[in-house]
Amino acid sequence: MQRDWKVVVSVRDESLASLSEVVAGLRSAGMTVNQVLDPIGAVTGTMGSSTLTSLRAVPGVADVELEALYQLPPEGEPQ
């Protein structure tokens, strides 16, 4: 079973005018798009681990970051 990873994709400033084309490229590369954050030039969604390189290769993509997961210890245990 392949795990889906939550990702945040940053779009290059010069590509913000064509954000919809970047989003279409991300979908074609295997990303399931959840949100397009126009004001900050970011796209959130999920992808399989095998598509990380494909997302970075989409024209207009500045960076792809995997979601960081944090978990606090159970209540009463030292942190």
Side-chain angles (χ1 to χ4, degrees), residues 5-55:
W5 295 91
K6 292 184 180 182
V7 293
V8 177
V9 176
S10 300
V11 177
R12 296 183 185 282
D13 289 341
E14 61 271 14
S15 297
L16 291 177
S18 57
L19 185 57
S20 61
E21 293 168 16
V22 176
V23 172
L26 293 169
R27 286 188 172 117
S28 293
M31 180 176 173
T32 301
V33 174
N34 295 336
Q35 274 189 309
V36 179
L37 306 168
D38 294 20
I40 61 171
V43 182
T44 66
T46 58
M47 54 138 235
S49 59
S50 62
T51 61
L52 185 58
T53 303
S54 299
L55 295 181

